[in-house]
Amino acid sequence: MNENILTIRVQSLTDAIEAVHTALANNQPDATPGLSFPTYDLMHRILAPKRLDIIRAMAGQGPLGYREIARRVGREYKGVHNDITELFNAGVIDREKDGVVFPYETINFDFDINAKAA
């Protein structure tokens, strides 16, 4: 499996735990890095379009400083700083001594959108 891809899923905590238990029971642990959100709305709030721009600018670039990221996305430092903080708190990016990093080159979204029952 390609470890340079982050798979983002919309699934409940119960479903995520069940998937891990199933993979372990079948001796097939999922080696693909992943991040799960319990609802589409939360995923969309955390991964809003301006934040996805930040992730795209960071993808595979190694550690970057906040000002460099702001320059790359053409935004003011304060807004970028706030967005980076949200992405860090959600576990999307990491902090290192030389800046922040999104170590993946690709994001794969894996979710279904279904109509709610009336």
Side-chain angles (χ1 to χ4, degrees), residues 5-113:
I5 298 173
L6 176 66
T7 299
I8 295 179
R9 296 176 181 87
V10 175
Q11 65 185 152
S12 69
L13 181 58
T14 302
D15 289 344
I17 291 170
E18 184 178 315
V20 169
H21 284 288
T22 300
L24 292 174
N26 294 328
N27 201 22
Q28 298 174 339
D30 185 5
T32 304
L35 184 63
S36 295
F37 291 92
T39 66
Y40 174 83
D41 291 338
L42 179 59
M43 181 199 69
H44 190 264
R45 185 179 68 76
I46 298 297
L47 300 175
K50 287 184 178 183
R51 292 181 183 158
L52 283 176
D53 288 343
I54 290 170
I55 292 169
R56 278 189 213 102
M58 294 177 65
Q61 299 297 303
L64 296 170
Y66 288 42
R67 292 193 190 285
E68 175 59 19
I69 296 167
R71 186 192 66 74
R72 289 181 183 207
V73 296
R75 293 179 49 208
E76 292 188 21
Y77 174 85
K78 183 177 180 179
V80 169
H81 184 279
N82 291 339
D83 285 343
I84 288 172
T85 298
E86 286 292 323
L87 291 168
F88 173 75
N89 289 340
V92 178
I93 63 175
D94 295 318
R95 284 193 179 119
E96 294 186 358
K97 68 176 184 168
D98 297 330
V100 290
V101 64
F102 180 76
Y104 307 100
E105 291 183 11
T106 304
I107 296 176
N108 176 45
F109 289 90
D110 181 15
F111 61 89
D112 297 319
I113 298 174

